[in-house]
Amino acid sequence: MDIKQLEETFKEVSKTLGWSVDKRIALAVTTFYLTQDSGFRKKEHEEASEAIKKNEGWASPLRYYMFHIASAFLALQGDPENGLKKLNAKQLELNEAGFRKSPYTYLAALLMEDTGEADRAKELYDQMKQHHKFLTSNEDVPYAVLLGRREGAAEERAATMNAYYRELREHGFSIGNDLQWLSQLMTFNSPVYDPEMVGRVLATREFLQNEKIKIRPPQYPILGLLAAAKASGRTLAQIVEHTRELENSKLFKWYKDVAFSTAVQFGMKDIIETREVSDITFSTSLEMLMQAQQAAMMASINAAVISSSANNGSN
């Protein structure tokens, strides 16, 4: 991870996005481009942004919650006008499958590859809801899409998610959405319950906590990401080192809570580049998983910014 490159790219991204855009969003966009090996594509990003402004109404989540997230994704695809049409078609497919239109269906649409994925996602989502009726909500749709295309029966995968959720509760994890997302990611490699997966999550948490990295509920899904990627001790040590570097940099002075998740993104990039994962198919899947986590992180930051703005406005 090159701190200087990160800082220079952040300046360019911030200038392009404008002074009114929260720096946390600019940080997420910066990390997205750098971990995709593209560097910031200013021209393409601006073209994608203009395509969204021209074609989407003010009520569209793409103009509000998802604007810079969608712009970054479309910029990497090329031909943003056509990419936007495909994105809306996929979002509509999710609606027709039974998902209510929301920012999360657009986020899920960004992750969809083929037609038919919406129905598989809805099947898994409904099975998840059988186990966690009140926890399962729109926020779970992106992971339902991501995991719905994996091999295995939806019923078994949902049951395994529930088993992981219950077991991790016994190991001190706080119940709630964050633990549910962790349990979902733990089924990425297989819908079959695997005690070794639990062991990897617990070992990863212990390693990070011993290194004084605080693992709060918002960081739970990251544990699932690292466990699914089978991150080695060397990779975890690098992530800790990068987290410290970011925390001590001027760029993250006021955003230390983002430093760890950013370091993890670069750590995932290193796993793929150094071919720690020998299976090419699995490596490709990890790229998809990393992209999903980046999008989720950007959406989370966006939601936090919007909530903060609303609270400030009410004071």
Side-chain angles (χ1 to χ4, degrees), residues 17-304:
L17 269 54
W19 64 270
S20 63
V21 175
D22 191 281
K23 287 187 176 180
R24 287 171 292 182
I25 293 177
L27 279 171
V29 172
T30 298
T31 302
F32 176 82
Y33 277 109
L34 290 180
T35 52
Q36 294 295 318
D37 281 333
S38 66
F40 178 49
R41 297 186 180 182
K42 181 178 184 295
K43 180 175 179 291
E44 289 86 349
H45 192 96
E46 290 177 334
E47 289 175 349
S49 298
E50 285 303 313
I52 292 173
K53 289 179 181 178
K54 184 176 72 174
N55 294 287
E56 296 295 313
W58 284 105
S60 170
L62 294 178
R63 288 290 297 266
Y64 187 39
Y65 296 98
M66 306 291 296
F67 184 60
H68 292 294
I69 299 172
S71 295
F73 271 81
L74 293 175
L76 292 184
Q77 294 175 11
D79 191 0
E81 292 274 354
N82 188 48
L84 182 58
K85 289 179 181 178
K86 290 181 178 179
L87 173 60
N88 278 313
K90 291 174 181 176
Q91 199 284 141
L92 180 59
E93 185 181 338
L94 289 166
N95 297 158
E96 293 173 342
F99 291 113
R100 182 170 59 84
K101 183 178 181 180
S102 74
Y104 293 98
T105 55
Y106 279 95
L107 179 58
L110 287 170
L111 304 175
M112 289 174 64
E113 295 180 339
D114 302 313
T115 58
E117 290 184 4
D119 289 332
R120 294 196 297 273
K122 188 61 167 61
E123 182 184 3
L124 177 58
Y125 180 89
D126 289 343
Q127 289 295 328
M128 289 159 52
K129 208 167 182 64
Q130 290 290 325
H131 296 282
H132 296 281
K133 181 178 180 180
F134 298 108
L135 277 182
T136 307
S137 66
N138 287 335
E139 297 176 2
D140 296 285
V141 178
Y143 285 139
V145 166
L146 176 72
L147 297 169
R149 73 165 67 110
R150 308 292 289 172
E151 291 186 3
E155 184 177 359
E156 181 177 28
R157 188 179 298 278
T160 298
M161 290 175 184
N162 185 48
Y164 286 145
Y165 184 94
R166 291 179 178 278
E167 184 163 355
L168 290 177
R169 282 180 58 186
E170 301 300 319
H171 289 278
F173 284 80
S174 301
I175 62 173
N177 289 328
D178 298 299
L179 181 56
Q180 171 152 293
W181 296 328
L182 165 56
S183 70
Q184 290 169 3
L185 288 171
M186 290 170 70
T187 71
F188 181 78
N189 296 337
S190 171
V192 180
Y193 177 84
D194 181 3
E196 290 186 8
M197 177 61 73
V198 177
R200 282 200 294 273
V201 168
L202 295 177
T204 300
R205 181 181 65 167
E206 181 179 10
F207 180 96
L208 294 170
Q209 289 179 332
N210 287 342
E211 294 293 337
K212 309 305 180 185
I213 300 292
K214 294 182 179 179
I215 303 298
R216 302 184 179 91
Q219 281 77 53
Y220 286 177
I222 292 177
L223 298 179
L225 176 74
L226 294 171
K230 300 179 181 179
S232 66
R234 181 180 65 83
T235 295
L236 294 178
Q238 287 180 338
I239 289 172
V240 171
E241 180 182 350
H242 290 162
T243 299
R244 300 298 182 220
E245 290 178 8
L246 293 173
E247 288 177 338
N248 293 325
S249 69
K250 292 181 180 179
L251 187 57
F252 285 80
K253 182 178 181 180
W254 303 109
Y255 309 106
K256 293 186 183 297
D257 58 324
V258 185
F260 174 57
S261 57
T262 301
V264 169
Q265 294 301 320
F266 283 98
M268 286 292 296
K269 180 173 180 285
D270 290 341
I271 290 176
I272 295 169
E273 287 184 346
T274 58
R275 299 187 182 278
E276 269 189 35
V277 182
S278 57
D279 186 331
I280 295 177
T281 301
F282 185 53
S283 181
T284 301
S285 297
L286 282 180
E287 292 179 2
M288 176 177 61
L289 183 61
M290 183 176 74
Q291 192 176 63
Q293 192 67 21
Q294 287 173 327
M297 182 180 74
M298 292 168 78
S300 176
I301 290 173
N302 217 37

